[in-house]
Amino acid sequence: MTTQKLTKKQLKEDTFITATLRAWEYVKTHQNAVFIGLLAIIVIVAASIYITNTRKQTQIEAATQFSEGLAMFRTGDLTTAEELFKMISERYPSLREGVYASYFAGKCALAGGRNIDAVEHFDNYLERSGKFPFFRDAAMDGKGAALENEQRFSEAAQVYLDLARNIHSNHFMEQSFLRRAANNFKLSGQRERAIEIMEELVEKTTGFERLELEIELDILRG
């Protein structure tokens, strides 16, 4: 009597059936653990969907409020615009709109003659501008102007000098920033620093503007 051998297909089917039965027995034996595992997966998926939807909604709200603030800024309602920009900055500190809002709050304060508030807003933007540096040069320029308005000439000079040394986008403004730095050093009584910056500026200018600078330098040197 010969023993009938199982074909590869039969062995495969038999293995599949065995595995299925074992899985079924495992589920029956550990049904509580399996249920908890499935429930955990469902909760994780639901939480991910909720977080994604919440983030999208938050971004939409931030963009809408920021647009409202810009509309008020353009129409000259600076007081209302500044309050809205301050709220956006506090409510959405990690979003682009929240970071940019600090810069525009500074613009509103500067236009309203509130220089100390303007410096605070510009500093707030500059501290968070790493990911959103679009207004970086303009914010430093605004800060320098606010300090100059407050007659804090030494601080203003340093801001303009730092800006001239590290311009991000407005490279054509380098000479203007150096000139503002020199003027503020002169007003602060730092004559040598003013001369140093003006000598550098002379090398970057030509024509009548250079002649004016050379005459001013001679007078400054005494």
Side-chain angles (χ1 to χ4, degrees):
M1 183 176 180
T2 58
T3 304
Q4 185 178 2
K5 293 183 179 180
L6 294 174
T7 64
K8 289 183 178 181
K9 181 178 180 181
Q10 287 173 322
L11 286 171
K12 184 177 180 181
E13 289 175 349
D14 184 65
T15 303
F16 173 75
I17 292 170
T18 302
T20 302
L21 289 173
R22 285 177 178 172
W24 175 248
E25 289 297 327
Y26 179 87
V27 170
K28 286 175 64 180
T29 306
H30 304 86
Q31 55 184 333
N32 289 338
V34 172
F35 176 76
I36 292 172
L38 289 173
L39 185 60
I41 293 172
I42 292 171
V43 169
I44 292 171
V45 171
S48 299
I49 294 172
Y50 174 78
I51 291 171
T52 300
N53 290 338
T54 300
R55 284 177 178 170
K56 288 180 179 178
Q57 184 61 33
T58 300
Q59 289 173 344
I60 292 171
E61 291 174 357
T64 300
Q65 293 173 18
F66 186 70
S67 297
E68 292 173 358
L70 286 178
M72 294 174 187
F73 178 77
R74 293 192 185 101
T75 58
D77 188 359
L78 299 180
T79 301
T80 306
E82 183 180 350
E83 289 304 313
L84 183 54
F85 285 133
K86 286 165 60 178
M87 182 194 71
I88 295 168
S89 176
E90 293 170 2
R91 185 174 294 177
Y92 311 106
S94 62
L95 296 183
R96 179 186 58 186
E97 289 80 5
V99 177
Y100 285 170
S102 292
Y103 165 73
F104 280 99
K107 290 276 287 183
C108 292
L110 183 61
R114 296 185 359 268
N115 299 301
I116 302 303
D117 289 338
V119 170
E120 182 179 345
H121 291 316
F122 287 134
D123 278 341
N124 191 359
Y125 166 74
L126 290 168
E127 288 171 4
R128 299 186 292 159
S129 65
K131 291 176 61 178
F132 309 105
F134 187 79
F135 295 107
R136 184 260 180 191
D137 290 353
M140 289 195 69
D141 190 9
K143 178 181 177 180
L147 290 169
E148 189 175 330
N149 291 342
E150 289 294 304
Q151 299 186 9
R152 293 161 60 177
F153 300 121
S154 181
E155 294 173 72
Q158 193 59 53
V159 168
Y160 280 118
L161 184 58
D162 291 344
L163 178 53
R165 296 280 187 264
N166 189 26
I167 299 175
H168 281 204
S169 55
N170 301 325
H171 296 282
F172 64 93
M173 293 289 291
E174 180 187 8
Q175 293 180 27
S176 176
F177 295 145
L178 285 173
R179 181 66 173 175
R180 297 286 290 273
N183 288 344
N184 278 285
F185 276 129
K186 186 166 59 174
L187 289 169
S188 69
Q190 300 180 69
R191 188 170 62 90
E192 293 302 321
R193 293 296 305 277
I195 290 173
E196 178 186 335
I197 300 303
M198 290 183 70
E199 287 176 342
E200 178 183 346
L201 192 54
V202 165
E203 299 302 317
K204 298 177 181 292
T205 56
T206 57
F208 185 71
E209 184 180 359
R210 178 172 182 145
L211 179 60
E212 282 187 324
L213 281 170
E214 288 175 341
I215 293 172
E216 188 176 348
L217 260 174
D218 286 339
I219 295 172
L220 197 58
R221 287 172 181 142

